[in-house]
Amino acid sequence: MYTIRGCPQGSVMGPLIFSIYINDLPLVIKHCLSIIFADDTQLCIAGSPNKLHELKQKLTTDLKNIIDWMDRNGMKLNLEKTQLIVLGNAQNLTKIGEVTLEIHDIRIKSTETLKSLGLTIDSKLTWYDHINKVSRSYHLMARSLYPLRHLMYPETFLKIINACLLPKLRYMACVWGTASKKILKILENKLRSTARIVLNIGKYEKIKFEIYDKLKWFFPCEQYLYQCLCLVFQILKGISADYFIGLLNYTRDIHMHGTRVNDKNILYVPNVHRNNFGKRSLIYKACLEYNKLPTKLTESQSLQCFKDALSAHIIEQGKINCKKA
């Protein structure tokens, strides 16, 4: 079929051409935060449960603006594939119940989970569904790789594990790493099993110290910490995405009274709601952990130097904690 619009699918320039074509889409979105990744556009809006009706009106208005924009530009929104999810704590979600939007005679109902760029988001942000999915994917690939250990040198087998398996535990760890210890234990057990295979250690022997000392691996909670601290460093150095500019501040920029002997590089930790969501937020949890780092580490000249030093620091702290235990 001949058309005067569009771009070749699978071409090198296709993603760039399409991105330019929809570059003005955020201009018609008046109330929501828009996140665009190729042809996947997400709208985010926040507010208290007692303002639900107002939030629904704003979201509906923006969706209608998007549909009008697409009509003018020869595109069509697939409302049947459009999904809605409400995020919050269990108490508020129970109070709100199912949320429904009606647009052009099509009803969009809120769902319990939503997939975004390989990340499965659940309404209560427990990350249980995502971690279970990662665990299954990890297990299937591990089963196909483990027989190779008898066919190659241990060093080669370790490189394959590092290249094929561990990235599954790293992807988006700075997001799902806020899950509870009980849920993170699912992935930790997978990591321990892999380490026993690689190091040829029995099922009931201790393995944690060897994971730090010989394999230089992070556990899920440490992978979360590593990625968050790297993001903090990028924000402070001005090399992060524009969205994060101004998110973090030093204590000296907030008030003049000293809180520590050397507080010139101490991050300001704001007061947050005393619940799990507030304590796990980037501006609280990551700032607290960043302030605990040695000054020499935080004064690294480049991101790569910071990553190398931070990795060594986390590994060393893990080994020390193992010895204490």
Side-chain angles (χ1 to χ4, degrees):
M1 183 177 67
Y2 178 77
T3 178
I4 61 173
R5 293 181 176 179
C7 55
Q9 185 174 3
S11 64
V12 175
M13 293 294 293
L16 177 60
I17 295 172
F18 185 81
S19 296
I20 294 173
Y21 189 72
I22 65 169
N23 191 47
D24 61 332
L25 175 59
L27 298 179
V28 303
I29 301 172
K30 304 301 181 182
H31 305 290
C32 302
L33 169 68
S34 59
I35 303 173
I36 299 177
F37 183 83
D39 63 341
D40 184 6
T41 301
Q42 300 175 4
L43 300 182
C44 304
I45 190 168
S48 59
N50 56 10
K51 294 183 178 180
L52 179 61
H53 181 68
E54 179 184 344
L55 296 175
K56 287 174 60 177
Q57 286 185 329
K58 290 181 178 180
L59 183 56
T60 302
T61 300
D62 280 345
L63 282 172
K64 289 180 178 178
N65 290 340
I66 290 175
I67 293 173
D68 293 339
W69 178 90
M70 287 187 165
D71 288 339
R72 296 194 302 270
N73 288 273
M75 303 176 70
K76 185 178 180 181
L77 177 64
N78 192 339
L79 284 171
E80 294 182 355
K81 290 187 177 180
T82 302
Q83 294 179 286
L84 169 69
I85 188 170
V86 180
L87 306 178
N89 59 43
Q91 182 179 358
N92 286 335
L93 290 176
T94 302
K95 184 189 305 182
I96 292 172
E98 185 181 74
V99 177
T100 304
L101 298 179
E102 291 189 10
I103 304 172
H104 292 192
D105 299 326
I106 294 180
R107 180 173 294 182
I108 304 173
K109 297 181 180 180
S110 58
T111 61
E112 291 293 326
T113 60
L114 185 72
K115 190 173 181 180
S116 175
L117 302 179
L119 182 71
T120 302
I121 305 171
D122 61 280
S123 57
K124 298 176 184 177
L125 296 180
T126 63
W127 306 112
Y128 179 76
D129 295 270
H130 177 77
I131 288 177
N132 264 338
K133 189 171 294 185
V134 171
S135 177
R136 288 194 297 268
S137 175
Y138 183 99
H139 178 71
L140 291 174
M141 180 170 286
R143 283 180 57 187
S144 65
L145 292 177
Y146 288 165
L148 297 177
R149 70 185 186 276
H150 301 299
L151 306 176
M152 57 185 65
Y153 292 112
E155 296 81 6
T156 306
F157 180 63
L158 177 58
K159 289 181 180 179
I160 293 177
I161 295 297
N162 287 335
C164 298
L165 273 184
L166 295 191
K168 291 184 175 294
L169 303 184
R170 294 171 183 156
Y171 182 68
M172 292 286 195
C174 60
V175 180
W176 55 257
T178 58
S180 65
K181 292 182 179 180
K182 181 179 179 180
I183 296 177
L184 289 177
K185 193 74 174 180
I186 297 172
L187 296 182
E188 182 177 324
N189 290 337
K190 296 294 181 183
L191 190 71
R192 287 175 179 269
S193 298
T194 302
R196 294 183 187 281
I197 295 294
V198 172
L199 299 176
N200 195 25
I201 294 179
K203 181 177 181 180
Y204 299 104
E205 297 180 42
K206 292 184 178 180
I207 188 69
K208 192 170 186 178
F209 183 84
E210 282 70 18
I211 290 177
Y212 290 124
D213 187 46
K214 297 181 180 179
L215 301 179
K216 311 297 182 185
W217 290 352
F218 295 153
F219 285 90
C221 58
E222 293 158 343
Q223 187 63 49
Y224 160 72
L225 179 63
Y226 173 80
Q227 292 190 12
C228 283
L229 293 178
C230 286
L231 177 58
V232 170
F233 183 83
Q234 292 177 72
I235 294 173
L236 297 177
K237 295 297 182 181
I239 55 177
S240 65
D242 293 343
Y243 173 81
F244 296 102
I245 293 177
L247 180 65
L248 306 178
N249 296 287
Y250 288 107
T251 301
R252 64 174 183 265
D253 298 325
I254 304 300
H255 56 71
M256 298 302 296
H257 55 274
T259 55
R260 281 171 50 173
V261 176
N262 180 21
D263 65 349
K264 65 177 183 178
N265 291 324
I266 300 302
L267 286 178
Y268 173 71
V269 182
N271 294 323
V272 297
H273 295 292
R274 294 186 177 182
N275 53 34
N276 290 334
F277 291 102
K279 292 180 179 179
R280 293 181 299 184
S281 63
L282 178 72
I283 59 174
Y284 182 82
K285 175 69 174 179
C287 289
L288 278 179
E289 295 298 332
Y290 192 85
N291 287 339
K292 297 177 184 179
L293 296 177
T295 304
K296 183 179 180 181
L297 203 161
T298 58
E299 293 178 350
S300 300
Q301 297 301 310
S302 68
L303 177 60
Q304 189 57 52
C305 291
F306 178 79
K307 286 182 176 181
D308 294 341
L310 178 61
S311 178
H313 175 75
I314 293 176
I315 294 294
E316 189 60 32
Q317 288 299 310
K319 290 164 64 176
I320 293 174
N321 292 335
C322 286
K323 291 179 179 178
K324 289 181 179 179

